[in-house]
Short mmCIF file of all heavy atoms in Angstrom, two decimals:
data_model
loop_
_atom_site.label_atom_id
_atom_site.label_comp_id
_atom_site.label_asym_id
_atom_site.label_seq_id
_atom_site.Cartn_x
_atom_site.Cartn_y
_atom_site.Cartn_z
N LYS K 3 176.92 -118.52 276.22
CA LYS K 3 175.95 -117.55 276.69
C LYS K 3 175.45 -116.60 275.63
O LYS K 3 176.31 -116.16 274.78
CB LYS K 3 176.62 -116.71 277.77
CG LYS K 3 175.86 -116.78 279.09
CD LYS K 3 176.58 -116.11 280.25
CE LYS K 3 177.38 -114.92 279.89
NZ LYS K 3 177.88 -114.12 280.99
N PRO K 4 174.20 -116.35 275.54
CA PRO K 4 173.86 -115.30 274.50
C PRO K 4 174.38 -114.00 274.79
O PRO K 4 174.44 -113.60 275.93
CB PRO K 4 172.24 -115.31 274.54
CG PRO K 4 171.92 -115.91 275.97
CD PRO K 4 173.10 -116.73 276.27
N ARG K 6 174.89 -110.43 275.74
CA ARG K 6 173.97 -109.56 276.51
C ARG K 6 173.80 -108.32 275.71
O ARG K 6 174.71 -107.69 275.13
CB ARG K 6 174.65 -109.18 277.81
CG ARG K 6 173.65 -108.68 278.85
CD ARG K 6 174.32 -108.42 280.15
NE ARG K 6 173.55 -107.44 280.92
CZ ARG K 6 173.66 -106.20 280.73
NH1 ARG K 6 174.54 -105.67 279.88
NH2 ARG K 6 172.91 -105.36 281.43
N PHE K 10 167.19 -108.40 268.31
CA PHE K 10 166.85 -108.63 266.95
C PHE K 10 165.43 -108.23 266.69
O PHE K 10 164.55 -108.42 267.43
CB PHE K 10 167.05 -110.08 266.42
CG PHE K 10 168.53 -110.45 266.53
CD1 PHE K 10 169.18 -110.93 267.68
CD2 PHE K 10 169.36 -110.15 265.42
CE1 PHE K 10 170.51 -111.19 267.78
CE2 PHE K 10 170.78 -110.38 265.48
CZ PHE K 10 171.31 -110.97 266.68
N TYR K 19 169.49 -101.53 266.68
CA TYR K 19 170.62 -100.63 267.12
C TYR K 19 170.03 -99.66 268.20
O TYR K 19 168.86 -99.17 268.07
CB TYR K 19 171.09 -99.74 265.95
CG TYR K 19 171.80 -100.55 264.96
CD1 TYR K 19 171.04 -101.18 263.93
CD2 TYR K 19 173.17 -100.68 264.94
CE1 TYR K 19 171.79 -102.00 262.99
CE2 TYR K 19 173.87 -101.39 264.00
CZ TYR K 19 173.13 -102.10 263.04
OH TYR K 19 173.79 -102.86 262.18
N LYS K 24 165.37 -88.43 272.38
CA LYS K 24 165.60 -87.20 273.13
C LYS K 24 164.20 -86.69 273.68
O LYS K 24 164.19 -86.03 274.68
CB LYS K 24 166.30 -86.22 272.33
CG LYS K 24 167.78 -86.60 272.11
CD LYS K 24 168.56 -85.59 271.28
CE LYS K 24 170.02 -86.11 271.15
NZ LYS K 24 170.76 -85.31 270.23
N ARG K 27 163.34 -89.01 276.41
CA ARG K 27 164.43 -89.12 277.30
C ARG K 27 164.59 -90.61 277.73
O ARG K 27 164.66 -90.87 278.86
CB ARG K 27 164.40 -88.14 278.45
CG ARG K 27 164.12 -86.75 277.97
CD ARG K 27 164.17 -85.81 279.09
NE ARG K 27 165.60 -85.44 279.36
CZ ARG K 27 165.95 -84.74 280.43
NH1 ARG K 27 165.10 -84.32 281.26
NH2 ARG K 27 167.21 -84.37 280.62
N LEU K 29 166.08 -94.73 276.26
CA LEU K 29 166.90 -95.40 275.30
C LEU K 29 165.90 -96.41 274.52
O LEU K 29 165.04 -96.91 275.12
CB LEU K 29 167.94 -96.24 275.92
CG LEU K 29 168.86 -97.04 275.00
CD1 LEU K 29 169.94 -96.15 274.41
CD2 LEU K 29 169.49 -98.21 275.69
N TYR K 31 165.60 -99.21 270.90
CA TYR K 31 166.30 -99.96 269.87
C TYR K 31 165.48 -99.83 268.62
O TYR K 31 164.22 -99.95 268.68
CB TYR K 31 166.43 -101.35 270.37
CG TYR K 31 167.38 -101.62 271.48
CD1 TYR K 31 166.90 -101.58 272.78
CD2 TYR K 31 168.74 -101.77 271.27
CE1 TYR K 31 167.84 -101.74 273.87
CE2 TYR K 31 169.62 -101.97 272.26
CZ TYR K 31 169.18 -101.91 273.65
OH TYR K 31 169.96 -102.05 274.63
N TYR K 32 166.11 -99.65 267.56
CA TYR K 32 165.40 -99.47 266.27
C TYR K 32 166.06 -100.42 265.33
O TYR K 32 167.23 -100.70 265.27
CB TYR K 32 165.41 -98.06 265.77
CG TYR K 32 166.74 -97.53 265.28
CD1 TYR K 32 167.02 -97.46 263.92
CD2 TYR K 32 167.74 -97.21 266.15
CE1 TYR K 32 168.20 -97.06 263.47
CE2 TYR K 32 168.98 -96.78 265.70
CZ TYR K 32 169.19 -96.67 264.33
OH TYR K 32 170.45 -96.25 263.84
N LYS K 34 167.17 -100.94 261.30
CA LYS K 34 167.50 -100.11 260.18
C LYS K 34 166.76 -100.49 258.88
O LYS K 34 166.83 -99.81 257.87
CB LYS K 34 169.00 -100.25 259.89
CG LYS K 34 169.83 -99.49 260.87
CD LYS K 34 171.31 -99.52 260.58
CE LYS K 34 172.12 -98.66 261.47
NZ LYS K 34 173.59 -98.81 261.33
N CYS K 36 163.32 -101.72 258.89
CA CYS K 36 161.89 -101.48 258.90
C CYS K 36 161.62 -100.50 259.99
O CYS K 36 162.54 -99.96 260.61
CB CYS K 36 161.12 -102.79 259.08
SG CYS K 36 161.28 -103.63 260.72
N ALA K 41 161.41 -100.00 273.13
CA ALA K 41 161.98 -99.31 274.18
C ALA K 41 162.88 -100.26 275.04
O ALA K 41 162.55 -101.36 275.20
CB ALA K 41 160.86 -98.81 275.15
N PRO K 44 164.06 -100.84 281.74
CA PRO K 44 164.59 -99.85 282.66
C PRO K 44 166.03 -100.13 283.04
O PRO K 44 166.88 -99.25 283.22
CB PRO K 44 163.63 -99.84 283.85
CG PRO K 44 162.39 -100.34 283.20
CD PRO K 44 162.76 -101.30 282.02
N GLU K 53 176.57 -94.36 278.14
CA GLU K 53 177.51 -94.49 277.07
C GLU K 53 177.27 -93.58 276.00
O GLU K 53 178.20 -93.02 275.37
CB GLU K 53 177.39 -95.95 276.49
CG GLU K 53 178.02 -97.00 277.35
CD GLU K 53 177.72 -98.34 276.83
OE1 GLU K 53 177.28 -98.49 275.64
OE2 GLU K 53 177.98 -99.42 277.57
N LYS K 59 173.40 -83.69 281.35
CA LYS K 59 172.99 -82.48 282.04
C LYS K 59 172.75 -81.31 281.00
O LYS K 59 172.05 -80.31 281.25
CB LYS K 59 173.97 -82.03 283.06
CG LYS K 59 175.35 -81.70 282.50
CD LYS K 59 176.33 -81.43 283.77
CE LYS K 59 177.66 -81.04 283.26
NZ LYS K 59 178.30 -82.01 282.44
N VAL K 64 165.77 -78.31 274.43
CA VAL K 64 165.26 -79.27 273.47
C VAL K 64 165.47 -78.85 272.08
O VAL K 64 164.61 -78.34 271.38
CB VAL K 64 163.73 -79.60 273.71
CG1 VAL K 64 163.39 -80.78 272.89
CG2 VAL K 64 163.51 -79.89 275.19
N LEU K 65 166.69 -78.95 271.64
CA LEU K 65 167.08 -78.61 270.26
C LEU K 65 168.11 -79.66 269.93
O LEU K 65 169.14 -79.85 270.60
CB LEU K 65 167.72 -77.26 270.07
CG LEU K 65 166.69 -76.10 270.05
CD1 LEU K 65 167.40 -74.78 270.37
CD2 LEU K 65 166.04 -76.02 268.78
N THR K 69 174.51 -78.79 265.13
CA THR K 69 175.72 -78.58 264.40
C THR K 69 175.50 -79.19 263.00
O THR K 69 176.30 -78.86 262.11
CB THR K 69 176.88 -79.25 265.10
OG1 THR K 69 176.58 -80.61 265.38
CG2 THR K 69 177.28 -78.61 266.41
N ASP K 71 172.73 -78.73 261.36
CA ASP K 71 171.75 -77.86 260.62
C ASP K 71 172.44 -76.72 259.90
O ASP K 71 173.05 -75.78 260.46
CB ASP K 71 170.83 -77.22 261.71
CG ASP K 71 169.67 -76.46 261.08
OD1 ASP K 71 169.74 -76.12 259.84
OD2 ASP K 71 168.69 -76.24 261.75
N ARG K 76 177.17 -69.83 262.10
CA ARG K 76 178.45 -70.24 262.84
C ARG K 76 179.35 -69.09 263.14
O ARG K 76 179.29 -68.15 262.48
CB ARG K 76 179.19 -71.32 261.95
CG ARG K 76 178.38 -72.63 261.91
CD ARG K 76 178.79 -73.48 260.72
NE ARG K 76 177.76 -74.44 260.61
CZ ARG K 76 177.92 -75.66 260.17
NH1 ARG K 76 179.14 -76.06 259.79
NH2 ARG K 76 176.99 -76.56 260.08
N CYS K 82 185.23 -72.87 272.83
CA CYS K 82 184.56 -73.86 273.58
C CYS K 82 185.07 -73.98 275.01
O CYS K 82 186.22 -74.22 275.09
CB CYS K 82 184.46 -75.17 272.92
SG CYS K 82 183.73 -76.51 273.91
N GLU K 89 185.11 -73.10 266.87
CA GLU K 89 184.05 -72.93 265.96
C GLU K 89 182.74 -73.43 266.62
O GLU K 89 182.72 -74.59 267.02
CB GLU K 89 184.28 -73.62 264.61
CG GLU K 89 183.17 -73.22 263.62
CD GLU K 89 183.39 -73.73 262.20
OE1 GLU K 89 184.30 -74.66 262.08
OE2 GLU K 89 182.71 -73.37 261.26
N PHE K 92 175.57 -70.92 266.63
CA PHE K 92 174.89 -70.24 267.67
C PHE K 92 173.44 -69.98 267.32
O PHE K 92 173.14 -69.84 266.04
CB PHE K 92 175.55 -68.99 268.04
CG PHE K 92 175.71 -67.94 266.96
CD1 PHE K 92 174.79 -66.87 266.86
CD2 PHE K 92 176.73 -68.02 266.05
CE1 PHE K 92 174.90 -65.98 265.94
CE2 PHE K 92 176.83 -67.10 264.97
CZ PHE K 92 175.89 -66.02 265.00
N ALA K 95 167.15 -68.32 271.82
CA ALA K 95 165.86 -68.85 272.19
C ALA K 95 165.31 -67.99 273.30
O ALA K 95 166.10 -67.53 274.16
CB ALA K 95 166.01 -70.31 272.57
N SER K 96 164.06 -67.74 273.36
CA SER K 96 163.51 -66.99 274.47
C SER K 96 163.30 -67.79 275.70
O SER K 96 162.87 -68.91 275.58
CB SER K 96 162.27 -66.22 274.06
OG SER K 96 161.32 -67.17 273.59
N GLN K 99 164.27 -65.46 281.38
CA GLN K 99 165.27 -64.38 281.54
C GLN K 99 165.35 -63.47 280.34
O GLN K 99 166.07 -62.47 280.33
CB GLN K 99 166.64 -64.83 281.86
CG GLN K 99 166.81 -65.64 283.22
CD GLN K 99 166.44 -67.09 283.03
OE1 GLN K 99 166.24 -67.62 282.02
NE2 GLN K 99 166.31 -67.78 284.10
N CYS K 110 182.93 -80.89 270.06
CA CYS K 110 182.49 -81.89 271.12
C CYS K 110 181.04 -81.82 271.39
O CYS K 110 180.56 -82.51 272.37
CB CYS K 110 183.42 -81.59 272.38
SG CYS K 110 182.95 -80.09 273.23
N TRP K 114 176.80 -74.15 275.60
CA TRP K 114 176.77 -73.14 276.65
C TRP K 114 176.02 -72.00 276.22
O TRP K 114 175.57 -71.87 275.12
CB TRP K 114 178.23 -72.83 277.11
CG TRP K 114 179.01 -72.08 276.12
CD1 TRP K 114 179.27 -70.68 276.11
CD2 TRP K 114 179.70 -72.52 274.93
NE1 TRP K 114 180.05 -70.30 275.05
CE2 TRP K 114 180.36 -71.35 274.35
CE3 TRP K 114 179.88 -73.77 274.38
CZ2 TRP K 114 181.07 -71.49 273.12
CZ3 TRP K 114 180.58 -73.99 273.14
CH2 TRP K 114 181.16 -72.76 272.58
#
Side-chain angles (χ1 to χ4, degrees):
K3 234 172 39 167
R6 198 177 159 276
F10 294 90
Y19 293 84
K24 290 182 182 172
R27 307 186 85 187
L29 184 80
Y31 292 90
Y32 72 101
K34 285 184 174 175
C36 69
E53 281 173 15
K59 62 184 184 301
V64 189
L65 279 164
T69 54
D71 187 340
R76 287 160 195 211
C82 172
E89 187 176 13
F92 65 98
S96 52
Q99 293 87 8
C110 72
W114 69 101

